[in-house]
Amino acid sequence: MSGNEVDGQRVPGVSDRGVRRHRIFNFDFDSRPSHLVATPGENWSEEARAQWDAQYNQIIASLNAEFGSLNIDRKVDDFAAFGVKPFSIVAHHNSMFNHVRTAFVSGAYYAALTGACALGERILNHLILDLREKFKSTPQYKIVYRKKSFDCWSIAIDTLKAWQVLLPEVIVSFRDLEKLRNRSIHFNLETASQLREDALTAAKLLSRIIEQQFCAFGQQPWFIEGTLGAGFIKREWESNPFVAHYYCAKNFCLGPFHSVDFSDALGWRLVDHPDYGEFGIDSLSDEQFKDLFNNHDPALSARAND
């Protein structure tokens, strides 16, 4: 008897596990700053300009409500300079990244600077503490297995590098942020004269770390390339400790004919077929999954029953 069957019967969602991939559906982002720095093109129609003006005014109104009207022009400039919140999976950093941005936009540049550095350290700690039990056989485990926190960035970065958790470009950003952290946290006369500049640098480094390591869509090696409008995890990466903990455990495993449905009562939800065996499919390669997801007949898509 197959492990995917019970008493010869197919098990919904299990017998066809080889057809399904994890889709990233829970993520966070804010693209408003990109609209603030954009300008209407010379060839834009009047209708397009009117739509742009309406969206711009709507964003200004939202910033007024969020940050207050006092010094609103400077706040708008700082909000735009801080840049977009990257498309990020929902993890430990999302709400605290908001705190850093709020401090920066409010003009509390030292709080934003130290907050960004502290959040970088917190991300490193979470990665070590969340994943270390998966690396018991490594030499690095002996160094980190008893510790409850890590304030030495080089140990945390080198450990995560040895475990192949951090992407190469993320390691570079963490090391740059570490240098800024050491210069800013420990007394340095120059810090007070360049608070905004250093706070913005720290925020950009932190944003780059989040965008590259925790992205919801992108060119990272764990994503299936070429899926349209959605991010899916490659089958071979599902057992990777980082991907399994931060991506697979918090998202949905779906077949290529699933659909996204909205109802007033339930909001957004994913709808899928219980067993792809009805289509004669029990297993797909990542490339086959991509082709079916991108090109299948819409009539095959799963529909909500209510």
Side-chain angles (χ1 to χ4, degrees):
M1 180 171 57
S2 168
N4 293 338
E5 297 181 358
V6 176
D7 296 330
Q9 301 297 314
R10 293 181 64 85
V11 181
V14 176
S15 298
D16 62 354
R17 178 60 183 85
V19 177
R20 301 173 186 271
R21 299 295 186 274
H22 286 87
R23 173 173 178 166
I24 311 308
F25 199 67
N26 295 314
F27 54 86
D28 179 40
F29 74 101
D30 185 350
S31 61
R32 288 178 295 171
S34 63
H35 192 81
L36 294 176
V37 299
T39 55
E42 295 181 359
N43 298 325
W44 283 27
S45 66
E46 289 300 319
E47 180 181 2
R49 287 175 180 274
Q51 291 177 346
W52 185 92
D53 286 340
Q55 186 175 0
Y56 182 90
N57 292 331
Q58 185 178 25
I59 293 173
I60 298 300
S62 71
L63 297 181
N64 244 312
E66 185 175 354
F67 300 108
S69 60
L70 183 64
N71 299 321
I72 188 60
D73 289 340
R74 180 198 54 77
K75 290 175 180 176
V76 170
D77 289 342
D78 281 350
F79 186 82
F82 193 92
V84 301
K85 284 177 57 182
F87 280 90
S88 164
I89 57 172
V90 176
H92 309 294
H93 56 264
N94 303 97
S95 62
M96 293 184 182
F97 188 73
N98 284 342
H99 299 168
V100 173
R101 183 174 70 171
T102 297
F104 185 83
V105 175
S106 299
Y109 299 133
Y110 188 65
L113 170 59
T114 56
C117 295
L119 181 51
E121 184 171 309
R122 191 174 183 85
I123 291 172
L124 288 172
N125 271 272
H126 268 299
L127 287 168
I128 294 284
L129 298 176
D130 289 343
L131 303 177
R132 63 184 175 185
E133 292 304 305
K134 301 296 184 181
F135 295 95
K136 287 185 175 181
S137 62
T138 67
Q140 293 76 24
Y141 181 77
K142 299 176 183 178
I143 301 173
V144 302
Y145 80 102
R146 285 187 175 178
K147 290 181 176 290
K148 295 183 178 180
S149 64
F150 305 87
D151 55 12
C152 180
W153 286 42
S154 60
I155 291 177
I157 295 170
D158 290 344
T159 297
L160 293 167
K161 178 182 178 181
W163 290 347
Q164 298 183 336
V165 170
L166 297 179
L167 296 173
E169 55 269 30
V170 174
I171 294 172
V172 173
S173 294
F174 264 124
R175 296 203 191 281
D176 289 343
L177 185 59
E178 178 190 14
K179 294 174 185 175
L180 185 55
R181 178 256 190 199
N182 292 339
R183 180 162 59 83
S184 304
I185 300 297
H186 302 299
F187 182 73
N188 187 317
L189 283 173
E190 295 180 358
T191 299
S193 65
Q194 54 191 46
L195 283 178
R196 185 182 185 277
E197 178 184 350
D198 283 351
L200 192 56
T201 299
K204 296 293 187 183
L205 287 169
L206 186 59
S207 181
R208 195 177 306 153
I209 288 167
I210 293 171
E211 182 178 28
Q212 293 171 339
Q213 189 71 40
F214 298 95
C215 59
F217 315 95
Q219 301 300 314
Q220 283 63 21
W222 47 80
F223 287 124
I224 298 175
E225 298 90 351
T227 51
L228 301 178
F232 294 92
I233 302 299
K234 291 177 179 177
R235 187 65 188 273
E236 66 183 282
W237 278 86
E238 291 176 357
S239 59
N240 175 275
F242 170 74
V243 173
H245 183 86
Y246 284 94
Y247 284 87
C248 296
K250 300 176 182 180
N251 285 282
F252 303 90
C253 197
L254 303 160
F257 302 159
H258 74 274
S259 64
V260 180
D261 177 73
F262 179 82
S263 71
D264 293 334
L266 299 173
W268 292 105
R269 57 182 173 167
L270 295 163
V271 183
D272 203 4
H273 297 286
D275 187 354
Y276 277 77
E278 66 182 282
F279 302 101
I281 309 172
D282 283 335
S283 182
L284 293 171
S285 67
D286 291 335
E287 187 68 17
Q288 290 170 330
F289 179 93
K290 178 197 74 174
D291 290 340
L292 281 179
F293 174 77
N294 289 347
N295 304 312
H296 71 270
D297 183 346
L300 300 178
S301 295
R303 303 298 179 202
N305 294 324
D306 53 19

